[in-house]
Structure formats: structure tokens, C-alpha cells
Amino acid sequence: MIEKYTYKGEGYEILMSFGEWTVALLRYEKRSSEFDQLERHLQTDEAFVLLEGEARLYTDTESVSMEKGTLYNIPKGEWHHIVVSRDASVLIVENSNTSPDNTERKML
């Protein structure tokens, strides 16, 4: 059996969860359109793959223009933020218990 998941809306949407992992899609929204904050997850790494459009991944010490099809991992505890173009789709894989309870945010 093949399961299929799609998302064409704005923002972050969980496509599926399995065991301890969640697979989500990030598309353009106001929060992901500007570099004005950082967040860090205290219990899990977070992996990003650019599928469409353009995206820039920031940490508190560096930034990188993402290449399509390349996996970028942010280790747990690392401050980060992603900025995406209006036509972007970014696949995100993270621990399924990632939540506001184990995520810190700081405004810039």
C-alpha cells in the first residue's frame, strides 16, 4: 500500500508521524518571510530539505543559501531560523515530541 500526502497551503503542516519522527512541509508564511527571530529545540535535531523555490537557513553564527535536494541538519540546542521565498517548499523531519514545551525562541 502506498500512502500519499500533499500540502499546498501556507506555513508549517505535519504530513505524517511515525514512531518518534514527524515529517512536515514548510511553505511561505509571514513568520518564515523575514529573519527576525531564532529558535532552538532542546531535545531533538531538525532536518531540512529544500524541494522548491529558495530558502536561507540561519543560525546565530552563520547562514547558508539552501540547495535543492540537500539535507541540512540543525543539532539540538542550536539557535536557527529559516526564511523562504513565496514559491518555496521545505521538507522538515524532527522528533514528534517537538513542541513549545521543549523549544525556546528569541526575537532579534
Side-chain angles (χ1 to χ4, degrees), residues 38-57:
L38 291 166
E39 69 179 27
R40 66 179 174 182
H41 308 296
L42 304 176
Q43 297 179 1
T44 183
D45 288 10
E46 186 171 22
F48 299 85
V49 179
L50 178 63
L51 303 175
E52 297 177 306
E54 297 178 8
R56 186 158 200 89
L57 192 56

PDB file of all heavy atoms in Angstrom, residues 38-57:
ATOM      1  N   LEU A  38      15.012  33.679  16.322  1.00  0.00           N
ATOM      2  CA  LEU A  38      15.700  32.394  16.306  1.00  0.00           C
ATOM      3  C   LEU A  38      14.956  31.465  17.258  1.00  0.00           C
ATOM      4  O   LEU A  38      14.292  31.915  18.191  1.00  0.00           O
ATOM      5  CB  LEU A  38      17.150  32.535  16.775  1.00  0.00           C
ATOM      6  CG  LEU A  38      18.103  33.282  15.858  1.00  0.00           C
ATOM      7  CD1 LEU A  38      19.386  33.622  16.600  1.00  0.00           C
ATOM      8  CD2 LEU A  38      18.407  32.458  14.615  1.00  0.00           C
ATOM      9  N   GLU A  39      15.061  30.164  17.003  1.00  0.00           N
ATOM     10  CA  GLU A  39      14.514  29.182  17.922  1.00  0.00           C
ATOM     11  C   GLU A  39      15.497  28.044  18.064  1.00  0.00           C
ATOM     12  O   GLU A  39      16.394  27.879  17.228  1.00  0.00           O
ATOM     13  CB  GLU A  39      13.154  28.654  17.449  1.00  0.00           C
ATOM     14  CG  GLU A  39      13.209  27.795  16.208  1.00  0.00           C
ATOM     15  CD  GLU A  39      11.828  27.270  15.802  1.00  0.00           C
ATOM     16  OE1 GLU A  39      10.813  27.920  16.105  1.00  0.00           O
ATOM     17  OE2 GLU A  39      11.789  26.200  15.186  1.00  0.00           O
ATOM     18  N   ARG A  40      15.342  27.296  19.142  1.00  0.00           N
ATOM     19  CA  ARG A  40      16.151  26.091  19.312  1.00  0.00           C
ATOM     20  C   ARG A  40      15.304  25.033  19.996  1.00  0.00           C
ATOM     21  O   ARG A  40      14.460  25.335  20.840  1.00  0.00           O
ATOM     22  CB  ARG A  40      17.431  26.371  20.077  1.00  0.00           C
ATOM     23  CG  ARG A  40      17.262  26.778  21.512  1.00  0.00           C
ATOM     24  CD  ARG A  40      18.607  26.997  22.157  1.00  0.00           C
ATOM     25  NE  ARG A  40      18.455  27.531  23.501  1.00  0.00           N
ATOM     26  CZ  ARG A  40      19.472  27.845  24.266  1.00  0.00           C
ATOM     27  NH1 ARG A  40      20.718  27.701  23.832  1.00  0.00           N
ATOM     28  NH2 ARG A  40      19.278  28.305  25.474  1.00  0.00           N
ATOM     29  N   HIS A  41      15.540  23.804  19.579  1.00  0.00           N
ATOM     30  CA  HIS A  41      14.832  22.663  20.149  1.00  0.00           C
ATOM     31  C   HIS A  41      15.788  21.973  21.109  1.00  0.00           C
ATOM     32  O   HIS A  41      16.922  21.659  20.743  1.00  0.00           O
ATOM     33  CB  HIS A  41      14.374  21.718  19.043  1.00  0.00           C
ATOM     34  CG  HIS A  41      13.604  22.421  17.973  1.00  0.00           C
ATOM     35  ND1 HIS A  41      12.395  23.037  18.220  1.00  0.00           N
ATOM     36  CD2 HIS A  41      13.884  22.656  16.672  1.00  0.00           C
ATOM     37  CE1 HIS A  41      11.963  23.599  17.107  1.00  0.00           C
ATOM     38  NE2 HIS A  41      12.850  23.385  16.154  1.00  0.00           N
ATOM     39  N   LEU A  42      15.335  21.741  22.320  1.00  0.00           N
ATOM     40  CA  LEU A  42      16.211  21.250  23.376  1.00  0.00           C
ATOM     41  C   LEU A  42      16.353  19.735  23.407  1.00  0.00           C
ATOM     42  O   LEU A  42      17.257  19.223  24.046  1.00  0.00           O
ATOM     43  CB  LEU A  42      15.706  21.768  24.728  1.00  0.00           C
ATOM     44  CG  LEU A  42      15.588  23.298  24.810  1.00  0.00           C
ATOM     45  CD1 LEU A  42      14.995  23.711  26.145  1.00  0.00           C
ATOM     46  CD2 LEU A  42      16.942  23.952  24.581  1.00  0.00           C
ATOM     47  N   GLN A  43      15.481  19.007  22.686  1.00  0.00           N
ATOM     48  CA  GLN A  43      15.516  17.550  22.765  1.00  0.00           C
ATOM     49  C   GLN A  43      15.722  16.840  21.434  1.00  0.00           C
ATOM     50  O   GLN A  43      15.735  15.614  21.401  1.00  0.00           O
ATOM     51  CB  GLN A  43      14.222  17.047  23.401  1.00  0.00           C
ATOM     52  CG  GLN A  43      14.049  17.530  24.822  1.00  0.00           C
ATOM     53  CD  GLN A  43      12.746  17.052  25.433  1.00  0.00           C
ATOM     54  OE1 GLN A  43      11.964  16.334  24.816  1.00  0.00           O
ATOM     55  NE2 GLN A  43      12.501  17.451  26.671  1.00  0.00           N
ATOM     56  N   THR A  44      15.839  17.568  20.334  1.00  0.00           N
ATOM     57  CA  THR A  44      15.930  16.889  19.044  1.00  0.00           C
ATOM     58  C   THR A  44      16.653  17.731  18.002  1.00  0.00           C
ATOM     59  O   THR A  44      16.618  18.952  18.050  1.00  0.00           O
ATOM     60  CB  THR A  44      14.520  16.541  18.514  1.00  0.00           C
ATOM     61  OG1 THR A  44      14.640  15.812  17.281  1.00  0.00           O
ATOM     62  CG2 THR A  44      13.688  17.767  18.265  1.00  0.00           C
ATOM     63  N   ASP A  45      17.312  17.070  17.086  1.00  0.00           N
ATOM     64  CA  ASP A  45      17.815  17.709  15.873  1.00  0.00           C
ATOM     65  C   ASP A  45      16.607  18.033  14.985  1.00  0.00           C
ATOM     66  O   ASP A  45      15.503  17.517  15.195  1.00  0.00           O
ATOM     67  CB  ASP A  45      18.732  16.771  15.089  1.00  0.00           C
ATOM     68  CG  ASP A  45      20.084  16.537  15.746  1.00  0.00           C
ATOM     69  OD1 ASP A  45      20.274  16.948  16.906  1.00  0.00           O
ATOM     70  OD2 ASP A  45      20.941  15.941  15.086  1.00  0.00           O
ATOM     71  N   GLU A  46      16.846  18.870  13.971  1.00  0.00           N
ATOM     72  CA  GLU A  46      15.810  19.175  12.984  1.00  0.00           C
ATOM     73  C   GLU A  46      16.475  19.182  11.615  1.00  0.00           C
ATOM     74  O   GLU A  46      17.490  19.848  11.429  1.00  0.00           O
ATOM     75  CB  GLU A  46      15.167  20.529  13.292  1.00  0.00           C
ATOM     76  CG  GLU A  46      13.992  20.861  12.419  1.00  0.00           C
ATOM     77  CD  GLU A  46      13.258  22.105  12.885  1.00  0.00           C
ATOM     78  OE1 GLU A  46      13.857  22.935  13.599  1.00  0.00           O
ATOM     79  OE2 GLU A  46      12.087  22.253  12.529  1.00  0.00           O
ATOM     80  N   ALA A  47      15.913  18.426  10.677  1.00  0.00           N
ATOM     81  CA  ALA A  47      16.493  18.308   9.342  1.00  0.00           C
ATOM     82  C   ALA A  47      15.604  18.999   8.322  1.00  0.00           C
ATOM     83  O   ALA A  47      14.372  18.912   8.396  1.00  0.00           O
ATOM     84  CB  ALA A  47      16.672  16.837   8.971  1.00  0.00           C
ATOM     85  N   PHE A  48      16.238  19.703   7.365  1.00  0.00           N
ATOM     86  CA  PHE A  48      15.542  20.475   6.335  1.00  0.00           C
ATOM     87  C   PHE A  48      16.017  20.044   4.955  1.00  0.00           C
ATOM     88  O   PHE A  48      17.225  19.871   4.744  1.00  0.00           O
ATOM     89  CB  PHE A  48      15.872  21.972   6.476  1.00  0.00           C
ATOM     90  CG  PHE A  48      15.470  22.582   7.781  1.00  0.00           C
ATOM     91  CD1 PHE A  48      16.307  22.510   8.885  1.00  0.00           C
ATOM     92  CD2 PHE A  48      14.271  23.257   7.905  1.00  0.00           C
ATOM     93  CE1 PHE A  48      15.955  23.099  10.092  1.00  0.00           C
ATOM     94  CE2 PHE A  48      13.902  23.851   9.104  1.00  0.00           C
ATOM     95  CZ  PHE A  48      14.753  23.774  10.201  1.00  0.00           C
ATOM     96  N   VAL A  49      15.091  19.911   3.999  1.00  0.00           N
ATOM     97  CA  VAL A  49      15.424  19.646   2.598  1.00  0.00           C
ATOM     98  C   VAL A  49      14.587  20.598   1.742  1.00  0.00           C
ATOM     99  O   VAL A  49      13.349  20.561   1.792  1.00  0.00           O
ATOM    100  CB  VAL A  49      15.123  18.193   2.183  1.00  0.00           C
ATOM    101  CG1 VAL A  49      15.472  17.982   0.706  1.00  0.00           C
ATOM    102  CG2 VAL A  49      15.887  17.205   3.058  1.00  0.00           C
ATOM    103  N   LEU A  50      15.250  21.453   0.962  1.00  0.00           N
ATOM    104  CA  LEU A  50      14.553  22.357   0.051  1.00  0.00           C
ATOM    105  C   LEU A  50      14.074  21.569  -1.165  1.00  0.00           C
ATOM    106  O   LEU A  50      14.868  20.926  -1.852  1.00  0.00           O
ATOM    107  CB  LEU A  50      15.485  23.493  -0.382  1.00  0.00           C
ATOM    108  CG  LEU A  50      14.908  24.494  -1.382  1.00  0.00           C
ATOM    109  CD1 LEU A  50      13.718  25.242  -0.790  1.00  0.00           C
ATOM    110  CD2 LEU A  50      15.999  25.471  -1.831  1.00  0.00           C
ATOM    111  N   LEU A  51      12.762  21.621  -1.416  1.00  0.00           N
ATOM    112  CA  LEU A  51      12.174  20.917  -2.553  1.00  0.00           C
ATOM    113  C   LEU A  51      11.900  21.855  -3.725  1.00  0.00           C
ATOM    114  O   LEU A  51      12.083  21.474  -4.880  1.00  0.00           O
ATOM    115  CB  LEU A  51      10.874  20.229  -2.132  1.00  0.00           C
ATOM    116  CG  LEU A  51      10.972  19.248  -0.971  1.00  0.00           C
ATOM    117  CD1 LEU A  51       9.587  18.740  -0.605  1.00  0.00           C
ATOM    118  CD2 LEU A  51      11.913  18.104  -1.314  1.00  0.00           C
ATOM    119  N   GLU A  52      11.407  23.062  -3.420  1.00  0.00           N
ATOM    120  CA  GLU A  52      11.050  24.048  -4.452  1.00  0.00           C
ATOM    121  C   GLU A  52      11.392  25.438  -3.950  1.00  0.00           C
ATOM    122  O   GLU A  52      11.417  25.681  -2.744  1.00  0.00           O
ATOM    123  CB  GLU A  52       9.554  24.018  -4.744  1.00  0.00           C
ATOM    124  CG  GLU A  52       9.036  22.729  -5.312  1.00  0.00           C
ATOM    125  CD  GLU A  52       7.518  22.782  -5.503  1.00  0.00           C
ATOM    126  OE1 GLU A  52       6.793  23.077  -4.549  1.00  0.00           O
ATOM    127  OE2 GLU A  52       7.093  22.527  -6.649  1.00  0.00           O
ATOM    128  N   GLY A  53      11.592  26.364  -4.888  1.00  0.00           N
ATOM    129  CA  GLY A  53      11.807  27.756  -4.530  1.00  0.00           C
ATOM    130  C   GLY A  53      13.188  28.001  -3.962  1.00  0.00           C
ATOM    131  O   GLY A  53      14.143  27.294  -4.273  1.00  0.00           O
ATOM    132  N   GLU A  54      13.269  29.006  -3.093  1.00  0.00           N
ATOM    133  CA  GLU A  54      14.532  29.381  -2.470  1.00  0.00           C
ATOM    134  C   GLU A  54      14.351  29.478  -0.973  1.00  0.00           C
ATOM    135  O   GLU A  54      13.267  29.812  -0.492  1.00  0.00           O
ATOM    136  CB  GLU A  54      15.010  30.728  -3.015  1.00  0.00           C
ATOM    137  CG  GLU A  54      15.302  30.698  -4.496  1.00  0.00           C
ATOM    138  CD  GLU A  54      15.722  32.055  -5.033  1.00  0.00           C
ATOM    139  OE1 GLU A  54      15.938  32.997  -4.230  1.00  0.00           O
ATOM    140  OE2 GLU A  54      15.831  32.177  -6.256  1.00  0.00           O
ATOM    141  N   ALA A  55      15.415  29.194  -0.230  1.00  0.00           N
ATOM    142  CA  ALA A  55      15.365  29.296   1.226  1.00  0.00           C
ATOM    143  C   ALA A  55      16.765  29.576   1.757  1.00  0.00           C
ATOM    144  O   ALA A  55      17.764  29.181   1.149  1.00  0.00           O
ATOM    145  CB  ALA A  55      14.820  28.014   1.840  1.00  0.00           C
ATOM    146  N   ARG A  56      16.809  30.272   2.872  1.00  0.00           N
ATOM    147  CA  ARG A  56      18.065  30.562   3.551  1.00  0.00           C
ATOM    148  C   ARG A  56      17.915  30.108   4.994  1.00  0.00           C
ATOM    149  O   ARG A  56      16.933  30.419   5.660  1.00  0.00           O
ATOM    150  CB  ARG A  56      18.399  32.041   3.489  1.00  0.00           C
ATOM    151  CG  ARG A  56      19.745  32.364   4.045  1.00  0.00           C
ATOM    152  CD  ARG A  56      20.259  33.713   3.497  1.00  0.00           C
ATOM    153  NE  ARG A  56      21.683  33.788   3.636  1.00  0.00           N
ATOM    154  CZ  ARG A  56      22.585  33.367   2.756  1.00  0.00           C
ATOM    155  NH1 ARG A  56      22.192  32.836   1.624  1.00  0.00           N
ATOM    156  NH2 ARG A  56      23.861  33.479   2.977  1.00  0.00           N
ATOM    157  N   LEU A  57      18.882  29.321   5.450  1.00  0.00           N
ATOM    158  CA  LEU A  57      18.877  28.777   6.799  1.00  0.00           C
ATOM    159  C   LEU A  57      19.901  29.543   7.628  1.00  0.00           C
ATOM    160  O   LEU A  57      21.053  29.683   7.216  1.00  0.00           O
ATOM    161  CB  LEU A  57      19.219  27.290   6.737  1.00  0.00           C
ATOM    162  CG  LEU A  57      19.002  26.437   7.960  1.00  0.00           C
ATOM    163  CD1 LEU A  57      17.570  26.512   8.459  1.00  0.00           C
ATOM    164  CD2 LEU A  57      19.360  24.986   7.642  1.00  0.00           C
TER     165      LEU A  57
END
